[in-house]
Amino acid sequence: MKLRIIMCVFLMFGTFKISAQETDKIKELNYAGNKILVPNNCEAKSEYELLNCNNTDIQWLYLNEEMLKTVPTQFLNQFGSQSIVKKESYFKLKSFNSELTGKKFKLKSDGKVLYRIIVSGVVNKQPLLLNIGTENDITKNSDLNEFLLKFINVE
């Protein structure tokens, strides 16, 4: 039950967009203690998520060590069982010199092909689940946009 609540909240972040007033705009993201500036043409929903920025969504959910053992696997299994998932494959990347592992999903929705990468691991001693949605198939660093290069490197 706890995992379903976490998953629902995590997925909702990717489907709703809330406009902030100019004075309330978030100027930087906090990713495992790393401060990353929000690109000029993008708007952060919180310090932990950036939605629809150059056709990319990125969010992360902090976990504790115990949750890191079970939540990512359960989350990946539930996400992979959705009818819009057409293909899934193992995926590994580096984030601030830490290895994160999980899966890349190829999705088809409304005739459009999208990709979602969901990986987990520990970055700067902080266990987390990283969720990246994009229109581009990411297989190597040259597939990453300038913003994603601030977070990750593909192995």
Side-chain angles (χ1 to χ4, degrees):
M1 181 67 179
K2 187 179 192 181
L3 175 64
R4 286 191 181 185
I5 292 170
I6 291 171
M7 185 173 166
C8 287
V9 170
F10 201 58
L11 290 176
M12 282 182 1
F13 288 147
T15 58
F16 296 112
K17 184 175 181 178
I18 298 173
S19 297
Q21 295 178 352
E22 191 69 32
T23 57
D24 294 340
K25 278 194 173 182
I26 297 166
K27 296 184 182 2
E28 63 183 19
L29 303 169
N30 179 3
Y31 177 74
N34 297 294
K35 300 294 184 184
I36 299 171
L37 292 177
V38 174
N40 289 333
N41 59 336
C42 301
E43 192 170 308
K45 184 173 176 188
S46 75
E47 288 185 327
Y48 312 103
E49 63 185 321
L50 189 64
L51 304 178
N52 198 22
C53 177
N54 302 320
N55 299 318
T56 301
D57 296 335
I58 185 167
Q59 311 139 321
W60 51 96
L61 177 66
Y62 293 134
L63 307 171
N64 61 38
E65 289 290 335
E66 193 62 32
M67 292 171 70
L68 186 61
K69 295 175 186 175
T70 58
V71 170
T73 300
Q74 292 171 345
F75 188 84
L76 289 168
N77 289 340
Q78 285 186 340
F79 189 85
S81 68
Q82 294 183 30
S83 63
I84 62 170
V85 173
K86 301 304 174 194
K87 183 179 177 184
E88 64 182 69
S89 56
Y90 175 78
F91 202 79
K92 180 169 61 170
L93 56 83
K94 287 266 190 177
S95 180
F96 291 94
N97 297 316
S98 297
E99 186 176 283
L100 303 179
T101 59
K103 291 186 178 181
K104 176 174 64 172
F105 298 92
K106 182 178 181 179
L107 315 170
K108 190 165 187 183
S109 179
D110 298 326
K112 192 173 187 179
V113 175
L114 304 168
Y115 298 89
R116 178 131 338 246
I117 296 170
I118 302 173
V119 291
S120 62
V122 179
V123 177
N124 293 338
K125 299 181 183 176
Q126 174 60 62
L128 58 81
L129 182 67
L130 179 63
N131 179 2
I132 301 168
T134 180
E135 294 179 3
N136 304 324
D137 185 11
I138 296 173
T139 59
K140 56 191 177 305
N141 277 339
S142 61
D143 297 328
L144 298 171
N145 62 35
E146 184 179 328
F147 181 72
L148 286 178
L149 282 169
K150 294 178 182 183
F151 287 87
I152 64 172
N153 291 302
V154 179
E155 297 207 331

